[in-house]
mmCIF file of all heavy atoms in Angstrom:
data_model
loop_
_atom_site.group_PDB
_atom_site.id
_atom_site.type_symbol
_atom_site.label_atom_id
_atom_site.label_comp_id
_atom_site.label_asym_id
_atom_site.label_seq_id
_atom_site.Cartn_x
_atom_site.Cartn_y
_atom_site.Cartn_z
ATOM 1 N N ALA A 444 -43.256 10.018 12.507
ATOM 2 C CA ALA A 444 -42.324 10.824 11.715
ATOM 3 C C ALA A 444 -42.272 12.257 12.232
ATOM 4 O O ALA A 444 -41.196 12.855 12.345
ATOM 5 C CB ALA A 444 -42.741 10.791 10.246
ATOM 6 N N ASP A 445 -43.441 12.833 12.561
ATOM 7 C CA ASP A 445 -43.457 14.197 13.084
ATOM 8 C C ASP A 445 -42.735 14.283 14.427
ATOM 9 O O ASP A 445 -42.080 15.291 14.724
ATOM 10 C CB ASP A 445 -44.904 14.672 13.235
ATOM 11 C CG ASP A 445 -45.593 14.854 11.879
ATOM 12 O OD1 ASP A 445 -44.856 14.995 10.868
ATOM 13 O OD2 ASP A 445 -46.836 14.837 11.838
ATOM 14 N N ARG A 446 -42.880 13.268 15.234
ATOM 15 C CA ARG A 446 -42.184 13.250 16.532
ATOM 16 C C ARG A 446 -40.670 13.241 16.337
ATOM 17 O O ARG A 446 -39.932 13.913 17.060
ATOM 18 C CB ARG A 446 -42.629 12.003 17.306
ATOM 19 C CG ARG A 446 -41.908 11.802 18.627
ATOM 20 C CD ARG A 446 -42.352 12.753 19.721
ATOM 21 N NE ARG A 446 -41.617 12.506 20.942
ATOM 22 C CZ ARG A 446 -41.931 11.562 21.827
ATOM 23 N NH1 ARG A 446 -43.001 10.781 21.622
ATOM 24 N NH2 ARG A 446 -41.208 11.402 22.908
ATOM 25 N N VAL A 447 -40.198 12.516 15.333
ATOM 26 C CA VAL A 447 -38.762 12.484 15.047
ATOM 27 C C VAL A 447 -38.283 13.856 14.588
ATOM 28 O O VAL A 447 -37.210 14.335 15.001
ATOM 29 C CB VAL A 447 -38.443 11.409 13.981
ATOM 30 C CG1 VAL A 447 -36.982 11.516 13.546
ATOM 31 C CG2 VAL A 447 -38.718 10.017 14.527
ATOM 32 N N VAL A 448 -39.071 14.530 13.745
ATOM 33 C CA VAL A 448 -38.697 15.866 13.278
ATOM 34 C C VAL A 448 -38.543 16.816 14.460
ATOM 35 O O VAL A 448 -37.566 17.563 14.578
ATOM 36 C CB VAL A 448 -39.748 16.397 12.283
ATOM 37 C CG1 VAL A 448 -39.475 17.866 11.961
ATOM 38 C CG2 VAL A 448 -39.731 15.571 11.004
ATOM 39 N N THR A 449 -39.513 16.810 15.371
ATOM 40 C CA THR A 449 -39.465 17.687 16.550
ATOM 41 C C THR A 449 -38.244 17.378 17.419
ATOM 42 O O THR A 449 -37.563 18.286 17.906
ATOM 43 C CB THR A 449 -40.752 17.519 17.372
ATOM 44 O OG1 THR A 449 -41.882 17.804 16.553
ATOM 45 C CG2 THR A 449 -40.741 18.444 18.582
ATOM 46 N N THR A 450 -37.958 16.100 17.576
ATOM 47 C CA THR A 450 -36.825 15.687 18.417
ATOM 48 C C THR A 450 -35.499 16.119 17.808
ATOM 49 O O THR A 450 -34.621 16.643 18.503
ATOM 50 C CB THR A 450 -36.843 14.162 18.615
ATOM 51 O OG1 THR A 450 -38.088 13.777 19.205
ATOM 52 C CG2 THR A 450 -35.690 13.712 19.500
ATOM 53 N N VAL A 451 -35.339 15.914 16.494
ATOM 54 C CA VAL A 451 -34.073 16.257 15.837
ATOM 55 C C VAL A 451 -33.857 17.761 15.833
ATOM 56 O O VAL A 451 -32.736 18.246 16.052
ATOM 57 C CB VAL A 451 -34.038 15.687 14.406
ATOM 58 C CG1 VAL A 451 -32.804 16.174 13.656
ATOM 59 C CG2 VAL A 451 -34.062 14.166 14.427
ATOM 60 N N ARG A 452 -34.910 18.540 15.614
ATOM 61 C CA ARG A 452 -34.771 19.990 15.624
ATOM 62 C C ARG A 452 -34.316 20.519 16.976
ATOM 63 O O ARG A 452 -33.664 21.569 17.050
ATOM 64 C CB ARG A 452 -36.106 20.637 15.239
ATOM 65 C CG ARG A 452 -36.393 20.615 13.738
ATOM 66 C CD ARG A 452 -37.754 21.193 13.426
ATOM 67 N NE ARG A 452 -37.995 21.193 11.972
ATOM 68 C CZ ARG A 452 -39.189 21.333 11.417
ATOM 69 N NH1 ARG A 452 -40.273 21.484 12.192
ATOM 70 N NH2 ARG A 452 -39.304 21.331 10.099
ATOM 71 N N ALA A 453 -34.653 19.805 18.018
ATOM 72 C CA ALA A 453 -34.296 20.256 19.368
ATOM 73 C C ALA A 453 -32.846 19.936 19.738
ATOM 74 O O ALA A 453 -32.351 20.427 20.755
ATOM 75 C CB ALA A 453 -35.241 19.629 20.387
ATOM 76 N N VAL A 454 -32.156 19.132 18.930
ATOM 77 C CA VAL A 454 -30.767 18.764 19.241
ATOM 78 C C VAL A 454 -29.854 19.941 18.920
ATOM 79 O O VAL A 454 -29.912 20.509 17.822
ATOM 80 C CB VAL A 454 -30.350 17.510 18.445
ATOM 81 C CG1 VAL A 454 -28.884 17.183 18.703
ATOM 82 C CG2 VAL A 454 -31.226 16.319 18.817
ATOM 83 N N ASP A 455 -29.001 20.298 19.862
ATOM 84 C CA ASP A 455 -28.082 21.412 19.662
ATOM 85 C C ASP A 455 -27.076 21.066 18.566
ATOM 86 O O ASP A 455 -26.476 19.994 18.574
ATOM 87 C CB ASP A 455 -27.346 21.698 20.976
ATOM 88 C CG ASP A 455 -26.483 22.939 20.881
ATOM 89 O OD1 ASP A 455 -26.848 23.851 20.124
ATOM 90 O OD2 ASP A 455 -25.427 22.986 21.552
ATOM 91 N N GLY A 456 -26.899 21.990 17.619
ATOM 92 C CA GLY A 456 -25.969 21.771 16.520
ATOM 93 C C GLY A 456 -26.649 21.505 15.205
ATOM 94 O O GLY A 456 -25.994 21.445 14.164
ATOM 95 N N VAL A 457 -27.999 21.364 15.208
ATOM 96 C CA VAL A 457 -28.753 21.148 13.968
ATOM 97 C C VAL A 457 -29.165 22.496 13.406
ATOM 98 O O VAL A 457 -29.834 23.287 14.088
ATOM 99 C CB VAL A 457 -29.984 20.261 14.218
ATOM 100 C CG1 VAL A 457 -30.815 20.149 12.953
ATOM 101 C CG2 VAL A 457 -29.557 18.879 14.689
ATOM 102 N N ALA A 458 -28.789 22.766 12.153
ATOM 103 C CA ALA A 458 -29.128 24.041 11.525
ATOM 104 C C ALA A 458 -30.551 24.039 10.997
ATOM 105 O O ALA A 458 -31.278 25.023 11.137
ATOM 106 C CB ALA A 458 -28.152 24.348 10.394
ATOM 107 N N SER A 459 -30.976 22.955 10.378
ATOM 108 C CA SER A 459 -32.325 22.884 9.826
ATOM 109 C C SER A 459 -32.715 21.432 9.642
ATOM 110 O O SER A 459 -31.857 20.549 9.528
ATOM 111 C CB SER A 459 -32.412 23.626 8.485
ATOM 112 O OG SER A 459 -31.574 22.998 7.517
ATOM 113 N N VAL A 460 -34.039 21.206 9.616
ATOM 114 C CA VAL A 460 -34.583 19.864 9.395
ATOM 115 C C VAL A 460 -35.691 19.963 8.363
ATOM 116 O O VAL A 460 -36.603 20.791 8.499
ATOM 117 C CB VAL A 460 -35.132 19.246 10.698
ATOM 118 C CG1 VAL A 460 -35.713 17.858 10.418
ATOM 119 C CG2 VAL A 460 -34.043 19.150 11.753
ATOM 120 N N GLY A 461 -35.637 19.154 7.330
ATOM 121 C CA GLY A 461 -36.653 19.174 6.290
ATOM 122 C C GLY A 461 -37.895 18.400 6.677
ATOM 123 O O GLY A 461 -37.901 17.630 7.650
ATOM 124 N N ASP A 462 -38.952 18.587 5.945
ATOM 125 C CA ASP A 462 -40.189 17.850 6.188
ATOM 126 C C ASP A 462 -39.999 16.383 5.831
ATOM 127 O O ASP A 462 -39.296 16.040 4.868
ATOM 128 C CB ASP A 462 -41.329 18.442 5.346
ATOM 129 C CG ASP A 462 -41.675 19.855 5.780
ATOM 130 O OD1 ASP A 462 -41.483 20.164 6.979
ATOM 131 O OD2 ASP A 462 -42.120 20.648 4.922
ATOM 132 N N PRO A 463 -40.650 15.488 6.585
ATOM 133 C CA PRO A 463 -40.497 14.048 6.297
ATOM 134 C C PRO A 463 -41.227 13.648 5.020
ATOM 135 O O PRO A 463 -42.262 14.215 4.671
ATOM 136 C CB PRO A 463 -41.121 13.381 7.523
ATOM 137 C CG PRO A 463 -42.095 14.381 8.045
ATOM 138 C CD PRO A 463 -41.495 15.730 7.758
ATOM 139 N N VAL A 464 -40.672 12.659 4.332
ATOM 140 C CA VAL A 464 -41.271 12.101 3.119
ATOM 141 C C VAL A 464 -41.573 10.633 3.398
ATOM 142 O O VAL A 464 -40.684 9.865 3.759
ATOM 143 C CB VAL A 464 -40.323 12.231 1.913
ATOM 144 C CG1 VAL A 464 -40.948 11.575 0.687
ATOM 145 C CG2 VAL A 464 -39.995 13.683 1.641
#
Side-chain angles (χ1 to χ4, degrees):
D445 292 339
R446 176 74 180 277
V447 172
V448 171
T449 303
T450 302
V451 173
R452 282 177 179 163
V454 176
D455 186 31
V457 175
S459 64
V460 179
D462 294 331
V464 177

